[in-house]
Amino acid sequence: MNLTHPFLDRDGDKLREECGVFGVIGAKDAASMAALGLHALQHRGQEACGMTSFDGKDFFARRGLGHVAQVFGNAESIAELPGHMASGHVRYSTTGGSGLRNVQPLFADLASGGFSIAHNGNISNAMSLKRELVRRGAIFQSTSDTEVIIHLVATSRYPTLLDRFVDALRMVEGAYSLICMTDEGMIACRDPLGIRPLVMGRIGDAIVFASESVALDVIGAELVRSIEPGELVQVDHKGTISSHRPFGNHNQRPCIFEHVYFSRPDSTLDGKSVYMVRKQIGAELAKESPADADLVIPVPDSGVPAAIGYAQESGVPFELGIIRSHYVGRTFIQPSDGARNADVKRKHNANRPLVEGKRIVLIDDSIVRGTTSLKIVQMMRDAGAAEVHMRIASPPTSNSCFYGVDTPERSKLLAAKMDVKAMAEFIHADSLSFVSIDGLYRAVGEAGRSAKCPQFCDACFTGDYPTRLTDLSERDTPDLLTLPVNKVA
Ligand code: AMP
């Protein structure tokens, strides 16, 4: 992720921060396993990827802009990464020539030996930590918040690397699922609230860590369990596993948006099937917001499981009224509004013979800027739909995420600007409804959102951020972190 200033325009080139991490130790062909694992995590970040390996003596690294298949899709690239331990990262990157220096895993030679780190999440006090580190003489190589952790580890006075690592993390606020490699082995760790996911698996004698269980499936590894919030798991080169809980007890707050959109539907998150949760959100939506309609139509692919749940609950038939081209990336990765609009048209096409003359319920997982909904509703009307009722399988997204999901700044979120009635008019829908926050919690298997102890991070829907947002209060100080490296004092 990038060190981001929350008040910068999130469409600027500094603000892309969705990632996936993967690590394997004890495997003969660690790098090729990691390449496959990263490929299964491609949906978490499509602009750059990297890998570090260790052969018992030396560390090796390869990083590149582009998809995993482009950067690690041939034998030569894997041959550059020998050894039985490898870790990797997929991400949205900054655009432009400086992008590569932020591509992870980041690597440093510390006094204790090599240290590689791959991070999913976002550190919400990174700028204030960096400012202090720079003041004390640290020289940063990247604009990534993750590099802050490296400097904190390097300057900690504790005797062992594990203690220095924990000491560093105690200073960090926000979201982090980390996979680190040292001369001694691999460390995987999840922040005390468990905001971003991380799982552990096993294949033969090898131990695997990944953002999502789907990355274990692809290499034939079995899912052992989720890394617990606040847990740090260390695996040495003999395969000895030790678990540490250095941060005490916290109420865990995993990101609920992973269930709504971000994770792949064939993953399980903290023991729950993402697909089943999404179907259940659709069922809750049908109970809360029925519609008099002939067909339930998903916005593919993100709305499909919820639409199945909506159709099954309501008894209205499910049909594919929109066909998706699989040869375009996700809408968000394009840099400007103009490009995003063009993308919607390239990506989706109406199934006109089905839709013509019908009253339809359109299901999508979320409305962010409203770009997709506006285009899709119009597409259905152009195809002859008699009525278009939009149903959204999440509550209105009215707050930005500071924990590693790419959302625009608040002023660009449709739900931050308008109430639901005005949003319906804006997207030209005959009706519009969102699932309630309690309905969403019920779908994930919880009783509802208790004001005292919400069980998830749902800040994008409620504005209830589970950590301090220290960097927000720094908005008036000069921003060292977004200056080009050669201009940082
Ligand atoms: P928008 O067109 O801006 O309203 O965005 C809504 C669409 O983008 C929905 O179809 C979602 O599936 C998708 N979406 C929601 N959140 C994200 C995200 N963080 N990154 C990429 N796509 C997203």
Side-chain angles (χ1 to χ4, degrees):
M1 26 258 75
N2 296 321
L3 265 177
T4 60
H5 195 299
F7 287 93
L8 276 181
D9 181 345
R10 288 203 154 215
D11 287 331
D13 72 351
K14 297 289 179 193
L15 296 148
R16 300 275 172 227
E17 24 175 317
E18 298 182 326
C19 306
V21 292
F22 184 93
V24 54
I25 176 166
K28 181 161 69 28
D29 42 5
S32 45
M33 273 189 189
L36 276 173
L38 290 178
H39 191 263
L41 298 174
Q42 187 78 80
H43 59 288
R44 298 184 72 88
Q46 294 140 34
E47 291 188 6
C49 55
M51 217 196 286
T52 310
S53 75
F54 180 69
D55 69 355
K57 193 164 153 281
D58 294 312
F59 285 88
F60 304 84
R62 182 181 166 87
R63 303 185 293 174
L65 301 176
H67 287 192
V68 176
Q70 290 165 270
V71 180
F72 296 112
N74 55 49
E76 295 78 51
S77 59
I78 299 297
E80 284 176 23
L81 296 157
H84 67 282
M85 175 166 80
S87 65
H89 191 261
V90 288
R91 71 190 292 263
Y92 279 95
S93 74
T94 52
T95 52
S98 65
L100 205 52
R101 71 195 158 105
N102 286 327
V103 179
Q104 299 193 24
L106 299 182
F107 179 81
D109 271 314
L110 305 182
S112 53
F115 184 76
S116 136
I117 182 166
H119 173 200
N120 174 210
N122 194 53
I123 298 171
S124 52
N125 65 338
M127 282 193 284
S128 63
L129 288 171
K130 181 167 179 179
R131 188 168 283 114
E132 183 50 31
L133 285 160
V134 169
R135 205 168 278 140
R136 281 169 20 204
I139 297 166
F140 277 73
Q141 305 285 321
S142 73
T143 56
S144 158
D145 61 343
T146 311
E147 195 181 347
V148 168
I149 299 177
I150 295 183
H151 285 275
L152 292 174
V153 174
T155 50
S156 168
R157 302 257 171 98
Y158 279 85
T160 67
L161 184 91
L162 191 67
D163 287 341
R164 285 202 289 278
F165 185 53
V166 171
D167 184 37
L169 295 182
R170 279 191 210 289
M171 287 180 252
V172 160
E173 295 164 7
Y176 52 85
S177 283
L178 302 171
I179 296 178
C180 301
M181 286 172 25
T182 73
D183 299 33
E184 287 164 23
M186 186 164 274
I187 304 171
C189 164
R190 203 167 164 200
D191 68 70
L193 300 173
I195 297 177
R196 300 258 71 85
L198 191 62
V199 294
M200 179 164 83
R202 183 187 285 278
I203 175 166
D205 293 332
I207 299 295
V208 187
F209 299 99
S211 293
E212 290 180 40
S213 61
V214 73
L216 307 180
D217 297 343
V218 75
I219 58 164
E222 104 192 68
L223 172 65
V224 175
R225 63 178 176 86
S226 279
I227 304 302
E228 297 291 324
E231 184 184 10
L232 194 150
V233 177
Q234 199 177 18
V235 186
D236 70 15
H237 294 299
K238 291 190 192 120
T240 313
I241 304 172
S242 54
S243 163
H244 310 261
R245 286 163 197 279
F247 307 113
N249 285 334
H250 293 257
N251 288 325
Q252 60 184 55
R253 299 284 292 274
C255 167
I256 204 158
F257 197 67
E258 292 274 356
H259 285 285
V260 169
Y261 170 80
F262 203 29
S263 288
R264 252 173 66 160
D266 44 346
S267 282
T268 56
L269 279 178
D270 292 320
K272 285 171 187 142
S273 150
V274 175
Y275 178 80
M276 295 309 284
V277 166
R278 286 185 191 161
K279 261 183 78 178
Q280 193 53 38
I281 302 174
E284 295 289 339
L285 191 53
K287 283 186 228 164
E288 291 181 353
S289 302
D292 217 357
D294 306 310
L295 299 175
V296 173
I297 292 177
V299 177
D301 293 327
S302 51
V304 172
I308 294 173
Y310 191 102
Q312 287 178 356
E313 178 64 34
S314 63
V316 179
F318 171 97
E319 291 287 359
L320 296 179
I322 302 166
I323 304 302
R324 177 182 164 182
S325 161
H326 285 272
Y327 304 101
V328 286
R330 281 186 177 187
T331 316
F332 267 33
I333 66 170
Q334 299 302 324
S336 69
D337 269 345
R340 246 191 317 273
N341 293 351
D343 238 20
V344 174
K345 284 182 241 157
R346 279 199 299 134
K347 192 164 160 183
H348 294 122
N349 191 34
N351 185 356
R352 179 183 281 273
L354 179 85
V355 166
E356 212 157 16
K358 301 287 189 338
R359 298 167 305 160
I360 62 169
V361 190
L362 262 184
I363 312 274
D364 203 357
D365 67 289
S366 58
I367 292 182
V368 183
R369 297 176 182 83
T371 321
T372 308
S373 306
L374 181 64
K375 298 285 163 194
I376 297 276
V377 171
Q378 192 56 48
M379 189 183 288
M380 293 293 95
R381 292 204 185 283
D382 291 346
E387 289 172 25
V388 184
H389 302 277
M390 188 94 200
R391 296 290 179 270
I392 302 295
S394 62
T397 301
S398 47
N399 302 279
S400 301
C401 177
F402 299 112
Y403 302 124
V405 173
D406 180 31
T407 41
E409 65 175 40
R410 189 157 195 270
S411 64
K412 295 208 168 149
L413 297 172
L414 199 64
K417 296 190 279 197
M418 308 177 185
D419 62 15
V420 175
K421 190 165 166 285
M423 289 170 84
E425 279 163 25
F426 176 83
I427 64 170
H428 302 130
D430 293 291
S431 72
L432 168 69
S433 306
F434 294 78
V435 78
S436 68
I437 190 78
D438 280 334
L440 176 58
Y441 269 68
R442 279 195 298 276
V444 192
E446 303 293 344
R449 185 186 198 274
S450 129
K452 272 202 180 128
C453 180
Q455 302 92 332
F456 292 92
C457 176
D458 50 24
C460 49
F461 307 128
T462 63
D464 176 5
Y465 293 95
T467 72
R468 276 186 298 196
L469 298 174
T470 302
D471 289 343
L472 275 176
S473 62
E474 303 242 332
R475 64 184 183 276
D476 297 326
T477 21
D479 190 359
L480 283 174
L481 308 172
T482 54
L483 287 176
V485 154
N486 59 2
K487 291 207 187 127
V488 173

